[in-house]
Amino acid sequence: MAELDQKELRVLILRDGKPGHETKPDGFVRYLRQQADIQVTEANVRLPLAALMRPLLTLVINYLPTLLWRRAVLSLYGLSLDDFRPDLVLAAGGKSSFALAACQATENITGVLLGSARRLRPDRLGWVFAADADESWGRCVQVPLPPSAHGAVSRVVKGEVRTRLGLAEHQKVLAVLIGGDGAGCEYTLADWQHLAQLIRGFAEDESHAVLLSTSRRTGLETEKSLQKLIPPHCLRQAVWFNHREERCMADYLAASDAVLVSVDSVSMMAEVCSAGFTPWIFCPQRAELPSRVASLISRLESKGMIKWLAGDEVSINGNECADSELDRFWHGQIRAVLVDLKVL
């Protein structure tokens, strides 16, 4: 790619509307802003007749010259690069990866896929950051966790958030982030009873406080069960996502001393690790994680980035938030991309 002349790096984010894909480009942009001046715009993309088009587009993009399909794919997605010609295009989902390939095939545009390339040729996508990346291609990078929009906060910010949430400086605060069925996990009432017991035990006196959030995956019925199992006085704040959607992750990570995350949500693990925590991982009795997820969890455990919850209590020894290994990893990767773009 030719050296950039303009002062700002122009970045286009392709949004496919899937919740799990939303935070990855936001996280990538967060790291970009720390190393370069950028201008960001977004485009919502949808793949019509996805079941039919995905295998067809895979064949076309992999095997035909770009001249034959680039404009057609952009048109299929309703994308125009005329008004805003980006230098860098970000996508995080399989359905948006074909649009990313069409952007990458355009002169002086570099693509970044934050997720699996699946059956697409990596060289059609630009940079590929994924847990299952084939590193034989120079721009494919195997990542411990995807980038997160949330990073570690200063002591001053932590104090301000705690004050706003009504938390005392001396209190030990645990954030509990709950997913639900999916990623090979099947939660039963016994699992939720176990979790409720952990929360009740942790919050048994005023020196400890719990901040809880469910997610879309948790489901309305499970939330109703948890509301019966966990007394209100045990929760300093609770977001029941399926009752009322509310974004609380930034505040929870800023205010907490430790975090407990259910094993089904890799995206939540990424956000917690990016904030400098080594999260406790809560796992249901029935868990048959897909091989790629199981491999990822194993790597995270070997690197000391997560720890399995064992027994019937969660302990906090001081403030467990430390420098983020994940932050250091992504700082290095962003730098590599910017060097490739001749920005650095």
Side-chain angles (χ1 to χ4, degrees), residues 39-288:
Q39 179 185 356
V40 180
T41 192
E42 302 181 3
N44 295 316
V45 295
R46 297 292 184 272
L47 179 62
L49 301 173
L52 174 66
M53 296 304 298
R54 288 184 74 156
L56 177 60
L57 288 175
T58 299
L59 289 172
V60 167
I61 292 173
N62 281 348
Y63 298 108
L64 294 184
T66 58
L67 186 64
L68 298 180
W69 54 262
R70 186 186 70 84
R71 288 186 179 277
V73 173
L74 289 175
S75 178
L76 177 67
Y77 280 91
L79 273 176
S80 173
L81 301 176
D82 296 331
D83 295 333
F84 183 86
R85 177 59 70 94
D87 306 300
L88 195 66
V89 180
L90 310 179
K95 292 179 181 178
S96 59
S97 61
F98 307 110
L100 178 68
C103 293
Q104 159 74 18
T106 304
E107 186 179 4
N108 288 340
I109 294 180
T110 295
V112 171
L113 180 66
L114 300 163
S116 176
R118 298 180 184 266
R119 293 183 175 85
L120 278 177
R121 285 168 45 183
D123 61 303
R124 296 296 205 197
L125 299 167
W127 288 82
V128 177
F129 295 98
D132 61 352
D134 178 4
E135 295 187 296
S136 61
W137 165 247
R139 292 182 177 181
C140 273
V141 181
Q142 190 177 78
V143 304
L145 283 170
S148 165
H150 304 298
V153 301
S154 67
R155 186 177 297 275
V156 171
V157 172
K158 189 180 189 73
E160 291 173 350
V161 175
R162 280 195 170 215
T163 298
R164 176 153 46 81
L165 295 179
L167 295 163
E169 183 178 350
H170 73 276
Q171 285 183 303
K172 299 298 184 184
V173 181
L174 173 71
V176 178
L177 309 175
I178 303 171
D181 292 347
C185 295
E186 183 180 346
Y187 291 86
T188 65
L189 179 60
D191 295 315
W192 299 129
Q193 288 173 332
H194 182 207
L195 180 64
Q197 179 184 347
L198 288 168
I199 292 173
R200 291 195 304 267
F202 183 86
E204 62 183 354
D205 61 59
E206 286 297 318
S207 66
H208 292 70
V210 175
L211 307 172
L212 178 142
S213 178
T214 59
S215 67
R216 185 173 284 102
R217 183 180 281 174
T218 311
L220 192 63
E221 293 306 313
T222 296
E223 289 183 352
K224 291 178 180 178
S225 296
L226 287 169
Q227 287 173 334
K228 294 177 182 178
L229 292 168
I230 305 171
H233 73 268
C234 290
L235 302 174
R236 176 52 56 92
Q237 181 168 313
V239 171
W240 304 104
F241 198 83
N242 295 275
H243 283 75
R244 181 183 177 185
E245 186 171 328
E246 184 179 344
R247 305 292 177 181
C248 61
M249 183 70 78
D251 279 354
Y252 279 19
L253 294 180
S256 296
D257 299 302
V259 184
L260 185 152
V261 184
S262 60
V263 73
D264 56 275
S265 181
V266 171
S267 60
M268 286 197 294
M269 287 185 209
E271 294 188 76
V272 175
C273 289
S274 285
F277 291 98
T278 303
W280 294 98
I281 304 301
F282 177 76
C283 187
Q285 294 179 5
R286 299 176 186 173
E288 296 183 8

